[in-house]
């Protein structure tokens, strides 16, 4: 009995250490977002701004009133949603074909797809920079959507193919016996059954596109297509040698809110999508 109590205490302490370790950077960024530039300059050690130093919610208002920031938010939303929709649609069709059809080189296709997903992003920036300038895709939405899809499609195909393999082939055959065409059976029977996998692929794709910094800062030169992570690096303020840390922190908090909301609202579906495809039966 005593051993069980000590095990519970150890488990609680371990969880607390992990929570503090993971949440401390988040708490520190939030605290910086409420401090004034003067408070940060003099090294205010607390988590919250000292009284009389100003700032607070004014930092968030100042960031949101910045036209550059609002344009970057719009770029991130549009680019991420388009990349997610295209990647999930193409990955669903490709994963279904890989799971259901027997053809030569199927394993090779999956291996190449996984290798592409693991390819270093930095190594592609230079060639893409030259190529995009030559074909006039530099500093455009398609110039970011295509690289995002190149890295998220393989991962989405791997995730979805595992779900399609778990769906009994007889269910699709039964739908066709009842008069459904192959496309109707796929759309109305197979895809709804693989919904957890489709949702997981969409979430992973959206997270990659929303959080990307390397492509965003390398393949854009103006606010026309620059996403929010890259745009935050251009917040220099009046003095380029004294960065407005509090404003950057406030912008980072605002940019993180959509991701946090998605995780909180759909955490059950995310967990189901990440686990159910790996369990047979």
């Amino acid at each position: 009995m005593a051993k069980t109590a000590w095990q519970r205490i150890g488990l609680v302490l371990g969880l607390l250490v992990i929570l503090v370790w993971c949440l401390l950077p988040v708490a520190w960024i939030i605290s910086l977002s409420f401090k004034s530039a003067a408070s940060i300059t003099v090294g205010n050690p607390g988590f919250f701004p000292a009284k009389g130093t100003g700032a607070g919610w004014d930092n968030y208002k100042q960031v949101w009133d910045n036209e550059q920031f609002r344009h970057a938010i719009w770029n991130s939303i549009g680019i991420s949603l388009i990349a997610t929709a295209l990647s999930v649609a193409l990955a669903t069709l490709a994963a279904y074909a890989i799971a259901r059809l027997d053809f030569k080189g199927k394993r090779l296709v999956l291996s190449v797809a996984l290798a592409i997903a693991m390819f270093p992003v930095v190594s592609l920036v230079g060639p893409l920079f030259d190529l995009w300038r030559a074909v006039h895709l530099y500093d455009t939405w398609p110039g970011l959507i295509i690289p995002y899809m190149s890295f998220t499609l393989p991962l989405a195909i791997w995730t979805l193919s595992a779900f399609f393999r778990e769906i009994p082939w007889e269910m699709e055959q039964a739908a066709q016996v009842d008069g459904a065409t192959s496309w109707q059976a796929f759309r109305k029977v197979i895809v709804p059954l693989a919904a957890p996998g489709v949702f997981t692929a969409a979430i992973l794709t959206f997270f990659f596109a929303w959080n990307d910094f390397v492509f965003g800062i390398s393949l854009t030169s103006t606010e026309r297509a620059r996403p929010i992570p890259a745009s935050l690096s251009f917040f220099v303020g009046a003095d380029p040698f004294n960065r407005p840390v509090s404003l950057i922190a406030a912008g980072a908090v605002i940019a993180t809110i959509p991701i946090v909301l998605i995780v909180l609202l759909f955490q059950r579906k995310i967990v189901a999508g990440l686990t159910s495809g790996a369990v047979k039966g």
Side-chain angles (χ1 to χ4, degrees):
M1 192 73 176
K3 186 178 180 181
T4 304
W6 280 109
Q7 287 177 343
R8 290 179 179 175
I9 293 173
L11 179 62
V12 172
L13 290 176
L15 290 174
L16 287 176
V17 171
I18 294 173
L19 282 175
V20 171
W21 180 266
C22 295
L23 295 179
L24 184 60
V26 178
W28 188 254
I29 290 176
I30 293 175
S31 72
L32 287 177
S33 69
F34 283 99
K35 294 180 180 180
S36 65
S39 176
I40 295 174
T41 302
V42 299
N44 179 14
F47 269 97
F48 299 100
K51 291 183 179 180
T53 57
W57 293 106
D58 290 339
N59 287 334
Y60 288 90
K61 185 178 183 302
Q62 189 174 346
V63 168
W64 189 252
D65 290 340
N66 189 307
E67 187 178 352
Q68 171 189 339
F69 182 83
R70 293 200 306 269
H71 201 75
I73 286 284
W74 167 247
N75 287 337
S76 287
I77 292 174
I79 291 171
S80 300
L81 289 178
I82 293 173
T84 299
L86 293 177
S87 291
V88 171
L90 294 176
T92 301
L93 298 174
Y96 175 78
I98 291 173
R100 292 304 196 203
L101 303 178
D102 289 325
F103 56 89
K104 260 188 173 182
K106 182 163 72 172
R107 291 185 179 276
L108 179 62
V109 171
L110 287 173
S111 300
V112 171
L114 186 62
I116 293 173
M118 300 300 174
F119 209 76
V121 175
V122 178
S123 62
L124 296 178
V125 169
L128 276 178
F129 178 83
D130 292 334
L131 178 61
W132 269 202
R133 285 173 63 89
V135 298
H136 306 291
L137 285 177
Y138 183 75
D139 200 24
T140 63
W141 280 25
L144 291 177
I145 292 171
I146 294 172
Y148 291 166
M149 290 179 60
S150 300
F151 280 89
T152 56
L153 258 177
L155 184 61
I157 291 172
W158 267 86
T159 303
L160 289 172
S161 61
F163 280 87
F164 286 130
R165 282 195 295 267
E166 297 299 324
I167 297 174
W169 181 253
E170 292 78 11
M171 299 190 69
E172 185 176 1
Q173 292 177 327
Q176 292 176 345
V177 168
D178 290 339
T181 63
S182 298
W183 172 247
Q184 289 174 330
F186 170 75
R187 183 167 55 89
K188 296 183 178 181
V189 178
I190 302 301
V191 172
L193 290 174
V198 174
F199 191 85
T200 302
I203 290 295
L204 294 176
T205 302
F206 185 85
F207 283 2
F208 179 90
W210 185 270
N211 295 325
D212 171 71
F213 177 78
V214 177
F215 285 134
I217 202 169
S218 304
L219 302 180
T220 60
S221 59
T222 66
E223 298 304 318
R224 186 171 63 172
R226 185 176 288 149
I228 188 62
S231 183
L232 286 175
S233 65
F234 288 89
F235 276 29
V236 294
D239 182 6
F241 299 101
N242 189 13
R243 302 292 294 274
V245 178
S246 56
L247 295 181
I248 295 175
V253 172
I254 295 175
T256 308
I257 289 175
I259 300 298
V260 174
L261 290 177
I262 289 174
V263 172
L264 291 178
L265 291 174
F266 304 110
Q267 57 180 333
R268 291 187 179 180
K269 292 186 178 181
I270 294 173
V271 173
L274 290 173
T275 56
S276 60
V279 181
K280 222 171 183 180

